[in-house]
Amino acid sequence: MRPGKMAPAGGCGSVRGLWVPLAVLALARAALALTEQYPALSLLKQRQGPAGGCASAGEWAEQYSAESDSSFLHFHESDCDIGGSSSCESVLSLNTEKILSQAKLLAEQKRFPFATDNDNTNEELAIAYVLIGNSLYDEAIRHFSTMLQEEPELVSAIYGRGIAYGKKGLHDMKNAELALFELSRVISLEPDHPEVFEQRAEILSPLGRISEALSDLTKAIQLQPSARLYRHRGTLYFISEDYATAHEDFQRSLELNKNQPIAMLYKGLTFFHRGLLKEAIESFKEALKQKADFIDAYKSLGQAYRELGNFDAATESFQKALLLNQNHVQTLQLKGMMLYHHGSLDEALKNFKRCLQLEPYNEVCQYMKGLSHVAMGQFYEGIKAQTKVMLNDPLPGQKATPEYLKVKYLREYSRYLHAHLDTPLTEYNVDIDLPGNFKDHWAKNLPFLIENYEEQPGLQPHIKDVLFQNFESYKPDVQELICVADHLGSMMQYETPGFLPNKRIHRAMGLATLEVMQAVQRTWANSKVRMNGKTRLMQWRDMFDIAVKWRRIADPDQPVLWLDQMPARSLSRGFNNHINLIRGQVINMRYLEYFEKILHFIKDRILVYHGANNPKGLLEVREALEKVHKVEDLLPIMKFNSKTRDGFTVNTKVPSLKDQGKEYDGFTITITGDKVGNILFSVETQTTEERTQLYHAEIDALYKDLTAKGKILSAELGEVDAVCNLILSLVYYFYNLMPLSRGSSVIAYSVIMGALMASGKEVSGKIPKGKLVDFEAMTAPGSEAFSKIARSWMNLKSISPSYKSLPSVSESFPTLRTMIEVLNTDSSHCLKKTIVVV
């Protein structure tokens, strides 16, 4: 049921005819159990769907009868089930005499709002409320209006007429305005009744007038606090993304009535959206203790585990939700997306297909179905699904969905990939072939509005889709290659919230590592490479391009593009890689480990700034900074100087190895906001042409030195340490440059591992929990510091001789088709094999 509307209680459909007392009972419960009309918001934050149809009224009675202390709320004694059991008489069979007798009974009990001392008046009012309950809103309005002609200030009639206008439908603004007018009249006549303020809040909130609705609920709470009122107000704060205040309201509600699974779910969601995943999980589990068959709680629990990176626990929770309802669309959608990002594309596709059987116009499932097909090389089915998303144009005034905005880029890229399925990878270059404006718009996630764009040719019938390749069909040495790649790729997994293990990415980047190793070894042996249709000595970008091509094909949804290959106009303005660390009350858990480090840096820079610009106030600033323990504590300090009152930026510097004493721009830290909950704490790297050239010169010099030392490695084993440091230094500048639109972190780490293996050293240690290699580089004071940190966990050891017997990666998988085939093939048997790496 959508906010502000109420379904007839005698079944899911509207029934024309007279009503039974049960309808009034349902109306009474529903009129003030308002929060139940707000569905638990989807963790995808896409739409607020129906809360469960007519069955939810029964849940309201069960869940909230204990807190219903108003006489109007005690309308729930009945032996008739709202779902319409056989004991209920047919609505159509009721006659006027019978409905009048029921209204008389209702009037005698005075179980409706603002009952009077006059029995005849109460009977008339009861009849009108029965008409409302039967969805006969116009008849109810006429009945109330007749009564109001005789008695203009009959509060119950004004109130009932206001309810009737609201139930007619808030899509018609006239109904909404009349409903608000009537409820406001009631408040002017009877200002001490919390239920009227709550009812008016229910009309205001679906109209988007949230602040007014919150004000009404606050007034109702002041008059008579209840668990229901706190829960309702908390829901509105939640919708407003004020998660901290919403949490306080849900907590108060639960203190007044602890047995509220929906309030407990929302409490968990306030934790979830602030990045407090472990606390969210505890709340979702508590909700499930209160209501064992709570599908939304299982779904939310699954999503929280997914964000933590716990695939098995997330799978179990989603599965429990689907055992309760195999047709639960949101769970199918979320589970499918998790499976896609875990690299289990076949399983993901089953969920998206089932989702579309139940909800054919679900854009997320349609887009993900198309993406899954394309990632597996099934381009005909993929593009067919993509086209369906493209045809779903937004209505006038409606905001386009993210899927609608992305789908044309995916379709064009899919066509390009299909056309090059069997072209040797050495003979073409995505960055050169794709039009500049297309790449620029795609990387920036802009609407597809590109002037004079010429579409990619449609699918060519003579180019067949990729067929499934059995692992056993590969030669034994290639099987060994695949299993080693799986192992190497797993070494790159981040163990921090927000990073779900992806076995497809693991395999792709493991193969990239081996191909980098082999290419670097050939280069150090004076062998040339074939790249972009030319045979030449390998440059540093070629080394990274090997990893780029594997990362691209592992997930075609993400544009992995070199920023310096973007149109000159775009590069001259600067291309920003932007990361929000805190936005409002939402904390990015991926980077939590680095907050303290960045905070120390900011504090140092503030002291330097005030020392230069406000020396008199330096002592006061220094004392204030000693009390700063979290980012939010910086807000008062911003007010010490008029120039930083609304916010400030701090730039990191990257020292040069090539030119001692010279520094390059690193990344920019920005803090804005005037109060907690209204803060933006972000970092961004601005890739301009000038900055790119400076970094390229640094990387060129390091690569030249690396190649020279690599060529004499076999003769002078003492050079190994120097080579390791050169590799890590080179990648340090790559990380700080951030030259790719996506995927820089894992691409650079696979180059580190591959180049180290070429030098005779193998990474045997995993990246520590909570650590991110790119942020280690970006927050290190220099390349030597980064090398020292990285080597502390890499646990480098001499490479196993068995690597030499592995076949060439580039020769084993020379085309896109062969790359997709090997990423598709099952890897479960690798667990049973003895991997050569020891």
Side-chain angles (χ1 to χ4, degrees):
M1 198 181 308
R2 295 196 181 280
K5 297 183 184 178
M6 192 147 45
C12 290
S14 174
V15 182
R16 289 291 168 186
L18 294 179
W19 198 242
V20 290
L22 174 63
V24 190
L25 310 188
L27 168 68
R29 283 198 301 271
L32 289 180
L34 296 172
T35 306
E36 302 318 302
Q37 299 190 9
Y38 291 97
L41 291 194
S42 160
L43 290 167
L44 294 177
K45 307 263 328 225
Q46 275 188 269
R47 60 175 70 88
Q48 293 169 13
C54 54
S56 59
E59 294 172 8
W60 296 339
E62 176 189 343
Q63 210 165 320
Y64 303 116
S65 58
E67 66 180 72
S68 300
D69 44 18
S70 148
S71 61
F72 185 30
L73 289 171
H74 284 192
F75 269 33
H76 48 73
E77 298 95 0
S78 172
D79 57 2
C80 182
D81 178 24
I82 282 181
S85 72
S86 57
S87 66
C88 298
E89 295 185 63
S90 165
V91 171
L92 297 173
S93 70
L94 291 173
N95 56 34
T96 305
E97 185 180 338
K98 193 161 189 178
I99 197 68
L100 287 173
S101 71
Q102 296 293 348
K104 185 175 181 180
L105 178 64
L106 191 66
E108 287 171 358
Q109 295 174 344
K110 293 189 176 181
R111 292 293 184 91
F112 59 89
F114 302 105
T116 72
D117 294 328
N118 186 303
D119 292 342
N120 291 332
T121 302
N122 286 344
E123 282 190 36
E124 290 295 320
L125 288 166
I127 291 168
Y129 278 108
V130 169
L131 291 170
I132 292 177
N134 196 27
S135 302
L136 298 170
Y137 305 128
D138 288 325
E139 290 84 342
I141 289 166
R142 281 196 289 272
H143 197 93
F144 283 130
S145 298
T146 301
M147 296 182 75
L148 286 165
Q149 283 175 357
E150 296 178 15
E151 197 174 339
E153 293 192 349
L154 182 57
V155 175
S156 187
I158 300 170
Y159 185 69
R161 192 162 67 174
I163 290 175
Y165 280 126
K167 303 312 172 194
K168 277 184 73 174
L170 301 183
H171 54 274
D172 185 336
M173 190 52 70
K174 185 180 176 184
N175 290 336
E177 293 300 336
L178 287 168
L180 292 172
F181 176 76
E182 300 290 28
L183 292 172
S184 298
R185 282 181 68 202
V186 175
I187 288 169
S188 67
L189 293 166
E190 296 283 351
D192 296 329
H193 288 261
E195 66 268 27
V196 190
F197 286 98
E198 189 177 12
Q199 185 69 50
R200 190 168 69 175
E202 182 180 345
I203 304 292
L204 289 164
S205 52
L207 297 175
R209 295 163 67 174
I210 301 296
S211 60
E212 294 171 74
L214 285 168
S215 177
D216 272 359
L217 289 169
T218 300
K219 180 64 177 173
I221 287 169
Q222 289 167 353
L223 289 167
Q224 190 174 348
S226 71
R228 184 187 65 255
L229 285 169
Y230 278 121
R231 185 181 65 247
H232 188 183
R233 191 175 69 174
T235 306
L236 293 188
Y237 278 126
F238 183 91
I239 291 168
S240 306
E241 298 187 7
D242 187 350
Y243 302 119
T245 309
H247 175 267
E248 290 172 13
D249 271 357
F250 292 129
Q251 187 60 40
R252 288 192 190 108
S253 180
L254 288 161
E255 286 166 5
L256 292 169
N257 178 6
K258 65 180 181 181
N259 187 31
Q260 295 185 84
I262 287 185
M264 187 60 74
L265 170 68
Y266 268 105
K267 178 183 170 183
L269 290 171
T270 66
F271 283 130
F272 179 91
H273 286 292
R274 286 181 289 163
L276 305 172
L277 298 175
K278 290 177 181 174
E279 292 87 344
I281 286 167
E282 289 308 309
S283 294
F284 298 147
K285 286 181 176 178
E286 188 60 38
L288 286 163
K289 284 181 188 174
Q290 295 182 14
K291 183 173 164 55
D293 60 348
F294 198 176
I295 292 176
D296 277 335
Y298 275 123
K299 177 199 72 178
S300 303
L301 186 61
Q303 190 68 349
Y305 277 127
R306 180 224 190 275
E307 287 299 314
L308 269 182
N310 189 334
F311 176 76
D312 291 337
T315 301
E316 183 183 350
S317 297
F318 287 139
Q319 204 52 43
K320 284 179 178 176
L322 291 170
L323 283 172
L324 291 166
N325 180 2
Q326 62 179 352
N327 297 333
H328 198 256
V329 170
Q330 278 191 351
T331 302
L332 288 164
Q333 180 180 310
L334 288 169
K335 185 184 175 193
M337 292 182 77
M338 180 189 71
L339 287 164
Y340 178 87
H341 292 291
H342 181 249
S344 306
L345 271 52
D346 261 334
E347 289 301 309
L349 201 48
K350 290 174 187 173
N351 284 269
F352 298 134
K353 286 179 177 177
R354 178 67 183 145
C355 165
L356 289 166
Q357 285 174 351
L358 297 165
E359 205 173 89
Y361 296 102
N362 186 308
E363 278 192 44
V364 176
C365 290
Q366 192 68 258
Y367 179 88
M368 293 303 299
K369 177 188 172 188
L371 175 60
S372 302
H373 276 304
V374 164
M376 290 191 289
Q378 299 162 3
F379 290 91
Y380 287 88
E381 282 299 319
I383 289 176
K384 194 191 300 180
Q386 292 163 18
T387 304
K388 286 182 180 176
V389 177
M390 286 174 60
L391 294 174
N392 197 16
D393 295 314
L395 297 170
Q398 187 181 32
K399 191 177 178 183
T401 63
E403 289 70 34
Y404 182 83
L405 291 174
K406 291 193 299 180
V407 72
K408 194 157 188 182
Y409 296 107
L410 179 61
R411 190 180 74 157
E412 291 300 288
Y413 185 47
S414 301
R415 287 171 164 178
Y416 175 85
L417 292 176
H418 184 263
H420 290 83
L421 267 178
D422 300 306
T423 309
L425 290 155
T426 55
E427 303 305 309
Y428 65 96
N429 185 319
V430 172
D431 287 282
I432 293 170
D433 293 347
L434 292 177
N437 283 344
F438 174 89
K439 293 186 299 176
D440 184 54
H441 281 60
W442 188 20
K444 291 175 179 172
N445 202 24
L446 297 172
F448 197 102
L449 300 170
I450 305 171
E451 287 184 18
N452 304 319
Y453 178 75
E454 190 176 328
E455 286 192 351
Q456 294 285 329
L459 301 189
Q460 303 300 307
H462 69 278
I463 303 175
K464 303 302 179 189
D465 272 352
V466 176
L467 298 175
F468 180 75
Q469 187 86 346
N470 236 325
F471 182 80
E472 287 71 22
S473 66
Y474 288 110
K475 293 177 181 177
D477 59 344
V478 177
Q479 292 182 18
E480 197 68 57
L481 183 73
I482 296 168
C483 291
V484 171
D486 285 356
H487 167 74
L488 291 173
S490 69
M491 304 286 287
M492 304 179 205
Q493 179 63 42
Y494 285 153
E495 290 187 47
T496 192
F499 292 94
L500 188 73
N502 187 325
K503 58 188 182 181
R504 193 176 179 88
I505 298 284
H506 288 172
R507 177 170 298 176
M509 302 323 293
L511 288 166
T513 298
L514 292 169
E515 189 172 346
V516 167
M517 175 193 77
Q518 293 166 349
V520 171
Q521 284 173 337
R522 287 197 303 273
T523 299
W524 289 348
N526 287 319
S527 177
K528 294 183 177 180
V529 294
R530 180 83 178 165
M531 301 290 281
N532 306 328
K534 295 176 183 175
T535 303
R536 53 176 168 73
L537 290 171
M538 186 169 77
Q539 300 303 309
W540 68 264
R541 191 195 287 261
D542 301 325
M543 184 168 61
F544 283 93
D545 256 331
I546 290 167
V548 166
K549 76 174 180 186
W550 282 104
R551 178 62 183 80
R552 272 178 184 152
I553 205 61
D555 183 4
D557 189 39
Q558 297 185 345
V560 183
L561 301 162
W562 288 95
L563 298 182
D564 67 340
Q565 299 295 307
M566 293 291 179
R569 187 178 73 253
S570 173
L571 198 58
S572 66
R573 288 199 297 261
F575 199 103
N576 295 358
N577 272 309
H578 184 93
I579 300 168
N580 285 333
L581 303 179
I582 301 175
R583 182 184 67 81
Q585 296 171 6
V586 180
I587 298 169
N588 193 331
M589 293 297 287
R590 290 184 171 196
Y591 305 97
L592 198 56
E593 180 89 9
Y594 296 92
F595 280 23
E596 190 175 344
K597 197 172 185 180
I598 294 172
L599 187 58
H600 280 303
F601 176 78
I602 293 169
K603 287 161 77 171
D604 289 343
R605 300 308 299 169
I606 288 173
L607 286 173
V608 171
Y609 174 82
H610 279 276
N613 296 284
N614 182 25
K616 289 182 180 178
L618 186 59
L619 182 61
E620 188 183 3
V621 171
R622 191 186 298 277
E623 288 173 354
L625 283 171
E626 286 174 5
K627 299 171 185 173
V628 170
H629 302 293
K630 54 185 187 294
V631 176
E632 295 90 326
D633 298 341
L634 289 169
L635 295 177
I637 293 169
M638 287 160 54
K639 295 176 172 47
F640 277 83
N641 188 293
S642 59
K643 291 181 180 176
T644 63
R645 187 165 291 133
D646 298 323
F648 61 86
T649 61
V650 179
N651 296 306
T652 64
K653 294 294 179 182
V654 176
S656 169
L657 277 177
K658 184 170 69 73
D659 301 312
Q660 291 298 318
K662 192 174 180 181
E663 291 182 325
Y664 308 131
D665 288 334
F667 62 92
T668 301
I669 305 161
T670 301
I671 298 179
T672 60
D674 51 13
K675 62 181 185 297
V676 175
N678 188 33
I679 189 172
L680 178 64
F681 174 40
S682 64
V683 298
E684 70 176 23
T685 307
Q686 191 170 35
T687 306
T688 60
E689 192 171 1
E690 181 186 0
R691 182 175 178 276
T692 300
Q693 287 173 357
L694 291 169
Y695 274 87
H696 279 193
E698 194 78 29
I699 295 171
D700 283 337
L702 285 165
Y703 183 75
K704 186 178 179 182
D705 203 5
L706 174 64
T707 305
K709 282 190 165 51
K711 286 180 178 179
I712 59 170
L713 262 181
S714 56
E716 299 181 34
L717 293 175
E719 291 291 327
V720 172
D721 263 0
V723 166
C724 288
N725 286 332
L726 281 170
I727 291 165
L728 289 167
S729 294
L730 187 152
V731 175
Y732 165 78
Y733 289 103
F734 180 91
Y735 275 130
N736 276 284
L737 173 59
M738 280 288 165
L740 295 165
S741 58
R742 295 281 177 87
S744 292
S745 187
V746 73
I747 284 165
Y749 202 65
S750 63
V751 167
I752 290 174
M753 289 178 66
L756 285 171
M757 287 163 71
S759 75
K761 291 291 182 183
E762 180 185 349
V763 175
S764 65
K766 285 202 165 190
I767 301 163
K769 195 170 184 178
K771 298 286 186 186
L772 309 176
V773 186
D774 51 351
F775 257 61
E776 287 297 323
M778 291 163 68
T779 57
S783 60
E784 289 179 16
F786 171 67
S787 296
K788 188 176 179 182
I789 293 164
R791 292 183 72 159
S792 71
W793 79 65
M794 283 180 170
N795 192 20
L796 295 177
K797 64 179 187 180
S798 295
I799 194 170
S800 167
S802 53
Y803 279 109
K804 291 180 181 176
S805 64
L806 292 175
S808 163
V809 175
S810 59
E811 289 174 13
S812 299
F813 313 111
T815 62
L816 269 179
R817 183 184 297 278
T818 52
M819 286 174 72
I820 294 172
E821 283 173 351
V822 73
L823 294 182
N824 286 349
T825 195
D826 179 39
S827 62
S828 57
H829 57 278
C830 281
L831 301 172
K832 302 168 191 169
K833 291 171 69 75
T834 305
I835 296 176
V836 294
V837 188
V838 290

